[in-house]
Amino acid sequence: MTDAPAARSKHQAVRSVGRPRRLALDQVLDAALELGLDNLTMAAVASRLGVGVAVLYSYVKNREELVRFASIRAAHQHGFPEDRGQHWAHYVSDYARGLYEMLTSNSQLIASFLEGGLGPEAQIDSAEAWMSALTERGFTPQEAVQLLRVVGQLVLGCAATAIHARALAANGTSYSAAACKAINSRSDEELPLLKRHIETFTDDTQYGSWEDSLRLILQAVAAEREEALPPSPSVKR
């Protein structure tokens, strides 16, 4: 599978006027990823590559398309678990970890997903490997797809939460501190339960953590399959 839609490939041979430099679309995308997709500018990518900004428009239509293509490339480059014959729960845990690390490596990846990027074209190769691994372990195709989606949605939410926690920290606060401030600004009559259990609600030690929630999912799947989970199925971040 290509790293960007084939419709763009015809632009790779376009040359700039004057003293052109030969580039491949992958070089443009890699430069964008090296710079980081957050607050990425076309000028920064052009400078990184030693070309004029106008040259980049021979490869992508605009910044939004550059970020979308780079996000797809990042998804392809990120390593997902190798099928080594491990227990299915270990495989699922390894997959979740790989996805979490990819999504939290650059907050723009989640932003791109929310804007329609990182769609099926970025997922089908890892989905094929997942389907192969789980059907070989006795899952039906329907069960494999359902579990893939549940795990993906869990990890996506946890990754977004972890990025939010990083943003709070960059602003000199935390979820716990912000929640305490918000609750304490209200009266006991307005928030009787949260006031009573403020320590429980504001505990952010698991904020953005996917491991415990995944464990619950694995336990439910194992129970439905009438089997026991292996000890500690690889759920360390």
Side-chain angles (χ1 to χ4, degrees):
M1 179 175 175
T2 58
D3 292 309
R8 306 299 302 164
S9 63
K10 64 181 180 180
H11 297 292
Q12 294 184 15
V14 176
R15 303 283 295 276
S16 59
V17 177
R19 298 184 60 187
R21 175 177 173 186
R22 293 178 180 271
L23 291 173
L25 178 58
D26 286 353
Q27 289 177 274
V28 177
L29 303 183
D30 287 341
L33 291 172
E34 289 166 5
L35 289 168
L37 301 183
D38 293 330
N39 304 314
L40 183 72
T41 66
M42 299 290 277
V45 176
S47 176
R48 182 84 168 191
L49 294 168
V51 300
V53 173
V55 173
L56 300 183
Y57 291 98
S58 299
Y59 301 87
V60 294
K61 291 186 295 187
N62 48 42
R63 177 192 179 276
E64 289 69 29
E65 186 172 80
L66 173 58
V67 169
R68 181 162 61 87
F69 286 179
S71 297
I72 293 172
R73 183 159 176 79
H76 284 303
Q77 289 179 334
H78 194 87
F80 283 97
E82 178 185 355
D83 186 354
R84 304 181 305 277
Q86 65 268 52
H87 191 279
W88 63 264
H90 289 172
Y91 182 87
V92 171
S93 297
D94 290 344
Y95 179 94
R97 179 181 298 103
L99 181 59
Y100 180 88
E101 291 175 351
M102 183 191 77
L103 292 174
T104 55
S105 66
N106 195 314
S107 62
Q108 189 63 45
L109 294 178
I110 290 181
S112 177
F113 175 80
L114 295 176
E115 294 170 359
L118 287 180
E121 69 275 13
Q123 303 167 5
I124 55 177
D125 290 316
S126 60
E128 176 69 19
W130 172 284
M131 291 279 287
S132 175
L134 291 195
T135 54
E136 288 178 3
R137 289 161 174 78
F139 285 75
T140 67
Q142 293 76 17
E143 290 170 339
V145 169
Q146 182 181 30
L147 184 55
L148 174 64
R149 290 175 177 167
V150 168
V151 171
Q153 290 162 8
L154 165 68
V155 174
L156 177 64
C158 289
T161 302
I163 291 170
H164 180 251
R166 288 206 304 246
L168 289 174
N171 291 327
T173 186
S174 65
Y175 174 81
S176 179
C180 283
K181 181 178 179 180
I183 293 172
N184 289 328
S185 69
R186 306 280 291 276
S187 69
D188 292 349
E189 290 74 20
E190 290 178 294
L191 304 173
L193 292 176
L194 287 180
K195 289 277 190 174
R196 191 179 310 156
H197 303 285
I198 188 170
E199 291 184 1
T200 299
F201 183 79
T202 60
D203 179 9
D204 60 3
T205 56
Q206 296 298 313
Y207 196 63
S209 174
W210 53 271
E211 296 95 330
D212 289 342
S213 296
L214 179 63
R215 180 72 177 181
L216 293 176
I217 292 172
L218 297 180
Q219 288 173 341
V221 173
E224 187 172 335
R225 291 167 60 85
E226 299 183 342
E227 61 181 74
L229 284 179
S232 184
S234 180
V235 288
K236 292 184 179 179
R237 192 166 28 167

